[in-house]
Amino acid sequence: MNKENLIKKLASFLIILVCLFTIFSSKLYAYNRNRALEYIDIWWDSDLDDDGIHEHINPLYTEYYDVGGDCANFASQVLINGGIRFGTYGYGVGGTIPGAENLRVNLRNHHGANEYLYLHDSIKEGDIIFWTNSDTTPDADHTLEVRIRAGSNIYTAAHDNDRPGTRIPDDNPNYFLPGIPVLAYQHIS
């Protein structure tokens, strides 16, 4: 067996091991917002040199920029790093849920996320926001992560239009989303 095949087999084994751990440890950990925020700070910028190539992607996952966008996939990674496990519902590489509406429904139905159509007092750093009005259907079209909550202001991190959630006011969704955004806020317990 040559070295390249050995490396591929080892990488496949490690991915399987991570997936199995993810599936079987779903109830062992509470959501750790600090770990979720640390993940955002490390991985929010997928295009470090602004050349249009997304070279800064966590190697445990894949990216979905060319097949609809990477926003929900990145939010899933943030949640996984914070302790959320999607089990068999996580159909993306590493157990993520790449679709915005699929992630929204999964968090509500399987993880007890409370959803609000206004900025509820319970929304804090590490929670998830879904933008629901970029087309004519009421489903989620984009996913953002709350990076900073300062009173009635929120600053969000995201992939697709990479943002760290720390550039105030530029990372406030009311500032960068077109029109008056219709947002669905989810508090992760």
Side-chain angles (χ1 to χ4, degrees):
M1 179 180 307
N2 67 30
K3 186 176 180 179
E4 186 176 323
N5 285 340
L6 181 62
I7 291 172
K8 285 181 181 179
K9 285 186 178 198
L10 181 58
S12 296
F13 173 76
L14 289 174
I15 289 172
I16 290 169
L17 190 62
V18 167
C19 289
L20 287 173
F21 177 78
T22 300
I23 291 168
F24 293 112
S25 64
S26 62
K27 299 298 179 188
L28 296 178
Y29 305 101
Y31 186 51
N32 184 325
R33 293 174 187 283
N34 290 330
R35 288 192 58 214
L37 297 176
E38 288 169 3
Y39 191 89
I40 290 171
D41 292 343
I42 293 168
W43 295 105
W44 73 268
D45 190 359
S46 65
D47 183 10
L48 295 174
D49 54 9
D50 294 325
D51 65 356
I53 298 171
H54 303 283
E55 70 278 345
H56 188 236
I57 301 292
N58 185 330
L60 295 176
Y61 302 99
T62 191
E63 50 87 8
Y64 295 87
Y65 285 99
D66 296 331
V67 289
D70 199 52
C71 60
N73 178 54
F74 180 65
S76 296
Q77 294 172 32
V78 169
L79 293 164
I80 289 168
N81 200 64
I84 299 293
R85 301 295 180 253
F86 296 109
T88 57
Y89 295 101
Y91 56 90
V93 173
T96 64
I97 298 179
E101 183 64 15
N102 292 338
L103 179 60
R104 179 184 182 195
V105 170
N106 184 279
L107 289 172
R108 266 194 326 240
N109 294 347
H110 302 289
H111 297 281
N114 296 316
E115 184 169 294
Y116 305 95
L117 298 178
Y118 61 95
L119 184 56
H120 189 269
D121 288 342
S122 67
I123 301 301
K124 53 183 140 185
E125 289 87 354
D127 283 334
I128 303 295
I129 302 172
F130 296 96
W131 180 34
T132 62
N133 67 325
S134 74
D135 58 25
T136 57
T137 60
D139 62 342
D141 298 301
H142 189 46
T143 309
L144 311 128
E145 303 79 44
V146 176
R147 178 62 188 85
I148 295 173
R149 167 92 192 248
S152 62
N153 291 308
I154 52 167
Y155 305 97
T156 58
H159 267 195
D160 288 338
N161 181 359
D162 292 353
R163 54 185 64 257
T166 56
R167 295 182 300 220
I168 299 170
D170 293 350
D171 288 338
N172 184 327
N174 292 304
Y175 178 81
F176 68 82
L177 291 174
I180 299 173
V182 177
L183 304 173
Y185 301 86
Q186 284 192 352
H187 174 67
I188 311 300
S189 300

